[in-house]
Amino acid sequence: MKETILISQSFHIEEGDFEKAGTATEKIREILKSLGIKPDIVRRVSVAVFEAEMNICMYAHSPGNVLFNLTDLKIEVQVTDCGVGIPDLEKAMQKGWSTATDEMRELGFGAGLGLPNMKENSNTFRIESEPDKGTRVIMTFDYL
Ligand SMILES: Nc1ncnc2c1ncn2[C@@H]1O[C@H](COP(=O)(O)OP(=O)(O)OP(=O)(O)O)[C@@H](O)[C@H]1O
Ligand SMILES: [Mg+2]
């Protein structure tokens, strides 16, 4: 059966701006709530997108983008940056692994749980990264 995109929206993520981080998450949350998507799904999508947004803000050294697609079958979110990339994805996916600075840790980040959290909260999770090219996280969520 052919999959149909019902809503497609793109949101900008600013580089290094902790104050503004979370705006894409907030907008996606509003869309999902207004569509009457189950609260548990809204929560899972929000957690996963927020973690991805924070990572770009803190580590990418480039702006980024969130592409949100709602289809008749699933929610798909692609979070992309053209930044420094992740040299060792296997390490980055491990719980507790982090390159956060002391300053980030003082703000409560750097537990090394963001990527594992994205994986746990999504139904499918894929990450692609290339040093000096950037990083893309693609997650889907079943909502039906
Ligand atoms: N978009 C990105 N660009 C470059 N490096 C990244 C990116 N996302 C993650 N990383 C690297 O992967 C590591 C692990 O990310 P993860 O989100 O799991 O943990 P964290 O951000 O360090 O801590 P937490 O998410 O618990 O606050 C980061 O410390 C960083 O080195
Ligand atoms: Mg993180």
Side-chain angles (χ1 to χ4, degrees):
M1 201 178 78
K2 197 172 153 285
E3 189 172 3
T4 310
I5 294 179
L6 304 173
I7 297 176
S8 181
Q9 285 216 42
S10 172
F11 305 100
H12 181 76
I13 302 173
E14 283 191 44
E15 166 187 2
D17 191 340
F18 283 60
E19 303 259 306
K20 280 204 195 123
T23 53
T25 303
E26 221 27 73
K27 285 177 188 151
I28 290 170
R29 195 209 305 272
E30 285 312 314
I31 295 171
L32 294 175
K33 273 167 70 178
S34 73
L35 291 168
I37 302 291
K38 289 186 209 111
D40 180 55
I41 310 287
V42 178
R43 186 189 57 77
R44 283 171 42 210
V45 174
S46 301
V47 167
V49 176
F50 184 70
E51 294 285 5
E53 235 188 303
M54 280 319 304
N55 278 357
I56 292 184
C57 188
M58 295 197 289
Y59 307 111
H61 298 284
S62 92
N65 177 271
V66 182
L67 177 64
F68 166 83
N69 284 332
L70 182 108
T71 79
D72 54 345
L73 300 178
K74 63 180 187 288
I75 294 160
E76 187 193 59
V77 183
Q78 291 192 28
V79 190
T80 310
D81 66 71
C82 300
V84 295
I86 302 175
D88 189 337
L89 277 181
E90 212 174 300
K91 260 192 200 157
M93 286 305 300
Q94 281 170 20
K95 285 187 182 175
W97 196 87
S98 176
T99 60
T101 61
D102 290 345
E103 191 195 352
M104 292 171 189
R105 287 172 202 271
E106 269 164 35
L107 291 168
F109 301 105
L113 293 176
L115 288 168
N117 233 342
M118 290 177 220
K119 192 170 179 188
E120 278 163 25
N121 280 285
S122 54
N123 291 100
T124 71
F125 172 91
R126 201 163 91 231
I127 181 164
E128 298 160 358
S129 190
E130 220 180 303
D132 294 324
K133 289 246 168 85
T135 302
R136 173 172 289 159
V137 174
I138 302 163
M139 298 178 281
T140 68
F141 305 83
D142 301 333
Y143 71 89
L144 295 169

